[in-house]
Amino acid sequence: MMSKWVYGFGNGKADGTAKMKALLGGKGANLAEMSQLGLAVPPGFTITTEVCTYYYANERRYPPELEAQVAAALATVEATVGARLGDPANPLLVSVRSGAPLSMPGMMDTVLNLGLNDRTVEGLANQTSNLRFAYDSYRRFIQMYGDVVLGVDHYLFEDQLDDIKRNRGYSLDTEMTAADLQELVKRYKAIVASETGAPFPEDVQAQLWGAIGAVFGSWMTARAVTYRKLQDIDEKMGTAVNVQAMVFGNRNEDCATGVAFTRNPSTGEKLYYGEFLVNAQGEDVVAGIRTPQPLTIAMQAATGSKLPSMEEVMPAAYRELAAVFDRLEAHYREMQDIEFTVQDQRLWILQTRSGKRTTQAALKIAVDLAQEGVISQAEAVGRIEPGSLDQLLHPTLDPKAERVILAKGLPASPGAVSGKIVFDADEAERQADHGEAVILVRIETSPEDIHGMHAAKGILTSRGGMTSHAAVVARGMGKPCVCAAAGLAIDYKLQRLSVGGKELKAGDEITIDGSSGEVMRGRVPTVDPQLSGDFATLMGWADQVRRLRIRTNAETPKDARTARRFGAEGIGLCRTEHMFFEGGRIVAMREMILAGDAEGRRAALAKILPMQRQDFIELFEIMAGCPVTIRLLDPPLNEFLPHGEAEMAEVAKAAGIELAALRRRASELDEANPMLGLRGCRLGILFPEIYEMQARAIFEAAIDSERASGEAVVPEVMVPLIGTARELALIKQRIDQVAAAVAKERGGQLHYQVGTMIEIPRAALCADQVAEIAQFFSFGTNDLTQMTLGLSRDDSASFLDTYMQSGIYPADPFTTLDVDGVGALVELAAERGRKTRPDLKLGICGEHGGDPATIAFCERIRLDYVSCSPYRVPIARLAAAQAVMKAHAERD
Amino acid sequence: MMSKWVYGFGNGKADGTAKMKALLGGKGANLAEMSQLGLAVPPGFTITTEVCTYYYANERRYPPELEAQVAAALATVEATVGARLGDPANPLLVSVRSGAPLSMPGMMDTVLNLGLNDRTVEGLANQTSNLRFAYDSYRRFIQMYGDVVLGVDHYLFEDQLDDIKRNRGYSLDTEMTAADLQELVKRYKAIVASETGAPFPEDVQAQLWGAIGAVFGSWMTARAVTYRKLQDIDEKMGTAVNVQAMVFGNRNEDCATGVAFTRNPSTGEKLYYGEFLVNAQGEDVVAGIRTPQPLTIAMQAATGSKLPSMEEVMPAAYRELAAVFDRLEAHYREMQDIEFTVQDQRLWILQTRSGKRTTQAALKIAVDLAQEGVISQAEAVGRIEPGSLDQLLHPTLDPKAERVILAKGLPASPGAVSGKIVFDADEAERQADHGEAVILVRIETSPEDIHGMHAAKGILTSRGGMTSHAAVVARGMGKPCVCAAAGLAIDYKLQRLSVGGKELKAGDEITIDGSSGEVMRGRVPTVDPQLSGDFATLMGWADQVRRLRIRTNAETPKDARTARRFGAEGIGLCRTEHMFFEGGRIVAMREMILAGDAEGRRAALAKILPMQRQDFIELFEIMAGCPVTIRLLDPPLNEFLPHGEAEMAEVAKAAGIELAALRRRASELDEANPMLGLRGCRLGILFPEIYEMQARAIFEAAIDSERASGEAVVPEVMVPLIGTARELALIKQRIDQVAAAVAKERGGQLHYQVGTMIEIPRAALCADQVAEIAQFFSFGTNDLTQMTLGLSRDDSASFLDTYMQSGIYPADPFTTLDVDGVGALVELAAERGRKTRPDLKLGICGEHGGDPATIAFCERIRLDYVSCSPYRVPIARLAAAQAVMKAHAERD
């Protein structure tokens, strides 16, 4: 059997369908589909991706049958159009375009008007009675072909165009006369001859094969190769080539061209939406030189346009177009973005594809389509990009507002906000108390800054990555944050910052956009988020599909309430250390750290106990009926000590301790690599009284809270930084003792679980042993990523960009779980843990818990829940639903 | 069939043998064996470990048959001795001792003279015509039994003994008369009655079962339980109880007691060696109150003793004893440590066991025994504890010298040395240049101190663990080092240190012992190491057995030569960064770091190139014919920048750069967790010119060196800190390009390999991918341990002791590989790597490379080589041989 290398379309027929994207590329398959639907698609043919594969497997030679098949397909097109390629009397013009199965930058794009030469241009002029049109088409062809096929620098052509315009005193291209364009064609051909050493090809077959070769050649340009490597796209996929008859919207006043959406892409409203121009080319609509006209009378009214609509100007073509809209939307079951041209009163459809839209529109369209019965509810759930929901939950910059961008950093926590610059947490609190909106600007933040971060409207740092302290805490609080703003130099002493030669001082207003990472001068207006009913509807549908439970990382009542409102089903990570910075607690905490013995530590901890108990009572009440996982103290103790000299002196004085003693203790606690030092359960082993106090606060709160509300409370006590089973066994023993003591003292019944973070690689490797003690695992993927990759999240900002650009990591491993490395360890730990304890509860509580790609991985390895910051809960709910659908699809 | 719970021995017969240690315990099995050999062992019986197991499985009850079996065994003993337990006319006295299969502290030890009561004591007095002896035996029995069986505090007894001595004006126990001892027995019985509420048991059967119960009870004391947990000893093993007839060396002048070795335990010479005392008990020989007499005439002459030898005083017993020595050494095929007693001219053997000895003696004895044909060469190899060789390679403190210990730290690098205190590396170099012996004393060291460490005789730090910079470098240099000396406070400004209330200043002399961790005031005399021919012989035998190759970690010619002399078979780790601190290099290095662009960096690196090339030429020449693995630059760049303000200013001035620029760059490079930051291959990705220079230096040196010597050089280029295969691929590509360029320029042939350190957990997990690029893996177990355990080696000193005491880690994981965690990862990486590339070369180059337990693991998983610091090469050679033997034994 002879291979079929070429697939024709047009005239209500086609050899291919929309399903044949792998063979025909996206564009070719869609053209075939529309043709099959009987739509007026300019006829043409597609040379398949298999030709590309053959070409590279055979030293850039084509299959022997190709030439004949192309000739035959071309003949069909000629017959359909009633014109012949290269016929001086009645020339057929074609476009040649690449079309890979996946859209890919770096490939040859388009050559238009192919088939023109010194003779056919005269034929076109005669045929259209438009010499200027013919030569304008010709010069455009030479320029495009010269650039993309022959590799002549396009600036050379533009220079000549500008030269003629300058000599004639023109300001617009449209002022050029037919004679000017004839002159320009002459000059263009001279450029090609001198640059390539050969005249511009007059032979139309040579033109055609040159363009086809250029498309296949562009598959292997360095840029395309790199892109595929980065995107992990198979090189063998290949590209197709589409050859299609030209139609023109710019021949005369009976011609027009336009772009339309089947629904409003901004709001999602079910109304045709689009623009068109009479006697114009496609690029004129978007170029903004002429003002496009509205498509419909309704739109004309809505936009207040003074220009007549297509519905009025070309009623027949419009009616035909409206019918096409309905046909295509029904066929593709999705809002379509359609390009069309009217040539001599006849409508041609050039392209259809899913229309881009705002998140708000996407929600409305998906819900509407489901309610119209066009798609299922599950399909509607699958139509929304989970990450896009962020836009709906946070204020955004007013798109119309002007802005002066000072710097760009990492978009660390979404939302846009303005405020006065403050360099200090205490000052932030003070000013916020006086009703000022402030942005806390720090080199980096530490737990000591928490109160200032709470008080500020937003946070800006000059250092730290997407999972730096500032970023993590800000996301937890749902506050906008920009980290590692490039070129930002902060001087605390002089209370000013400099960036790009500009200086700002404390009190100056700035605006930050945590969704884009932009830092702007002054106050840029923002738009508040509005959650539509469609949001709730879609979330409800998602909840019916998903299997994973969604919990939140929260420790304050405010965050816990926010998360509940967004649909969190419990707390997956309550970081108790965040509770130690407020008010009198930090004083007691420091007293504890400075105490010389266990007795002294116990005395200080006794002061914290009632406050900590009250914290838990509140959380248990807000999360009534839901699980609450409480992580015992984790950070190194010196995070609780003051740092600068002045601050030290102040604290020493306030606490009535010697400055020297404070300084000595701080220096004792100073560590070369604090991430890997004395923290987590190591504190619990060395100073058992700390965890004993915390366990007591948890258990007393559980009994009190259960007694008050009648609602059962089952706290999950989580021990951080476990490396060996024995560490956990020693600590669990003490927790159990405290539980027994509290139950006896308070006369209540206690139900609780003790489990561990899996965040040290060793714990993952020895999960079988750890699971003998632990009743649940929560993968702390932040630290697990740091240790497994040997990559400090605070220090990697300086090279992680280069790493991603070089394809070493496909994405930021602190945002999307590194499935090959960290994921392998998580999977291994889950397996080994479940082997020991089949009902082991498994969750993830790192920053990754709110990342859709990571959630898909969690679904695949069948974790029980993910936990993320409150503002990511809706994203996680949606992503979890999509993960189930994806897993089903992969299984089928 | 009735269970046999009791095994008798004595009278030239025994129910058991030396092989039955699990059932009879070590002591019981040995007594049975000697009895079987026909030696004069006082008769007795062993109650088996199975009784212990039964006892704990059955609520502390004995098997029903036990009582009858004990009675029968006792009757046999009575018949053999010709006396009866409790017979007032002719009383048998017995000892009761515990005896577990493995020696275990915390267990009940011994009760002697059991069977004495108010009536039998009189019988003993009559029989021996020695009232004083009888009552002395009685009071000793009450005290021992009261203490270990009845739980009476032994101080109460000692108080009464002291009281009588004080009242009578005695200074020695021996001055006490029979009447005094009778009075003492009365007081002792009163103490027991008042402390236990019951009279001291007169019933000898009650005495016997009380002692047996005490032995079994002691199996479960907290101390024994903890010890077993720490040593991972199975609780079900249980202990045996030995009941044995007493013999006395202190009845009269025809009695004697002594301790002897079959060879000299200090030198290994083949001469009987021992001491004895007439009319004395075993404890008198070791107590030092009476001066013991030499065993032989030869020993009398050698030691210049004025006292007559046993050979002269008791010639018959001596001849008998000498025969026993030969018999036992031949039987056990090992130098024996023997306890004996002569009672009324009759020789009794009480114990034999392998004798403890110095390392020097151990070597000589093992080699001699092999050459005498007693043991095989392999057995000789197995007899030496590899770690003990350290003693032979380094100076040790003169054991006779007095010492004032100031502090104790970690024994970080063995050897003892004295010198003047110097607090600064430059000053150390200056003084060393003037011929002073100095000890460099630092809070901790950094690569900037290398020249000072080279100049100093030893290094003392107040911080840092066994694998801190100071420790690692010092071991590499073979210099004594004590780290983290407790309580040592160093004040650089005042140039003094204080410890335990004492102050020392720069210039004061101290002595450090890196084998014990002790820091001493003044100059303590030391003894130089001497390597005997036995050492070389045994090493040669070890080399015939081992499979693992032994390489060394070295970068200086001196270290490389030392390692070769010790038998290293190549370099496994040459840390190139150590080459960047000397002379003008550090200046060029800083220039490179401060350069604003690649061009500036290249210019600075060009200055280093010829020096680096020369380094490699030297190493290739010293290691002629052996592989040399060169690790490319690894540490963070700011390790090369000055730190203090003063030093910064100095450097800035010297280099002609602005202080502000230097400060800015240093602060840019400052990291929160430098271990996980911009270092290793990340530098190679960001600044490719660095590795390009290093690769060029390596390849140029290889060609030049091969050309000069005619010896093939195959450098192994090792890329550090690889996390993903793509990192290595990108860097290998550049290395290959440099190699091709150098080969072309110099017109030579280049053979080389490119491989990687596996030191990031991710690289281990993805070893299958990494092995697609890497031709060898070298496990960097220092960093791999830090990351897998989440444990900074510099920061863990503060809690690692507690961790080991709590049994969380059985040993320091930076000394002995954590097999469960890190080992699992190494094994997994080895498997996955070999799957991709079956001939993948695998080695280990962390500090663990010189640790015997780790070497056994490396043998088990069939690595190709281990690499360790020069002074550990002999240890590694021996350990590798023993690992093979162990693996064989486990397979059989």
Side-chain angles (χ1 to χ4, degrees), chain B residues 737-754:
Chain B
Q737 282 164 1
V738 172
V742 170
K744 204 170 163 193
E745 288 162 22
R746 280 200 160 39
Q749 274 264 324
L750 264 177
H751 305 279
Y752 65 98
Q753 295 198 330
V754 177

Side-chain angles (χ1 to χ4, degrees), chain B residues 122 161 171 181 211 285 367 441 452 568 586 610 668 724 762 841 855:
Chain B
E122 293 296 334
L161 178 69
S171 61
L181 292 164
V285 180
V367 170
V441 180
I586 184 72
E668 272 171 23
T724 77
R762 192 188 193 281
K841 192 165 14 173
I855 290 170

Side-chain angles (χ1 to χ4, degrees), chain A residues 229-230 444 463 667-668 670-679 681-683 685-686 721 723-724 726-727 730 760-763 765-766 769 786-796 798-799 802-803 805-809 818-822 824-825 828 832, chain B residues 229-230 444 463 667-668 670-679 681-683 685-686 721 723-724 726-727 730 760-763 765-766 769 786-796 798-799 802-803 805-809 818-822 824-825 828 832:
Chain A
K229 218 166 244 166
L230 290 182
E444 54 196 342
R463 287 177 56 168
S667 126
E668 271 172 22
D670 198 30
E671 293 182 308
N673 291 286
M675 249 273 305
L676 311 177
L678 179 52
R679 49 172 286 234
C681 71
R682 294 162 190 173
L683 295 169
I685 296 281
L686 251 67
L721 213 75
T724 77
R726 186 157 168 77
E727 275 172 311
L730 290 171
I760 287 186
R762 192 187 192 282
L765 291 161
C766 301
Q769 296 165 22
Q786 297 197 79
M787 294 183 204
T788 305
L789 271 48
L791 201 62
S792 159
R793 64 185 189 191
D794 292 324
D795 302 318
S796 55
S798 67
F799 57 91
T802 308
Y803 260 52
Q805 280 156 20
S806 313
I808 294 172
Y809 288 112
D818 159 45
V819 171
D820 273 9
V822 183
L825 207 49
L828 180 148
R832 292 189 180 174
Chain B
K229 217 166 245 166
L230 291 182
E444 53 196 345
R463 287 176 56 167
S667 126
E668 272 171 23
D670 199 29
E671 295 182 308
N673 291 286
M675 249 273 305
L676 310 178
L678 179 53
R679 49 172 286 234
C681 70
R682 295 162 190 174
L683 295 169
I685 296 282
L686 252 67
L721 215 75
T724 77
R726 187 156 168 79
E727 275 172 311
L730 290 171
I760 286 186
R762 192 188 193 281
L765 290 162
C766 302
Q769 297 165 20
Q786 297 196 79
M787 294 182 204
T788 307
L789 272 47
L791 201 63
S792 159
R793 64 185 188 190
D794 292 324
D795 302 316
S796 55
S798 67
F799 56 91
T802 308
Y803 260 53
Q805 280 158 21
S806 314
I808 294 171
Y809 287 112
D818 160 44
V819 171
D820 272 9
V822 183
L825 207 50
L828 181 148
R832 293 188 179 174

Side-chain angles (χ1 to χ4, degrees), chain A residues 749-813:
Chain A
Q749 274 264 324
L750 263 175
H751 305 279
Y752 65 98
Q753 294 199 330
V754 177
T756 178
M757 301 271 278
I758 299 285
E759 53 188 334
I760 287 186
R762 192 187 192 282
L765 291 161
C766 301
D768 46 343
Q769 296 165 22
V770 177
E772 281 175 17
I773 321 290
Q775 293 168 287
F776 61 87
F777 285 175
S778 177
F779 291 99
T781 48
N782 290 352
D783 277 4
L784 192 61
T785 296
Q786 297 197 79
M787 294 183 204
T788 305
L789 271 48
L791 201 62
S792 159
R793 64 185 189 191
D794 292 324
D795 302 318
S796 55
S798 67
F799 57 91
L800 210 46
D801 265 354
T802 308
Y803 260 52
M804 288 189 279
Q805 280 156 20
S806 313
I808 294 172
Y809 288 112
D812 183 335

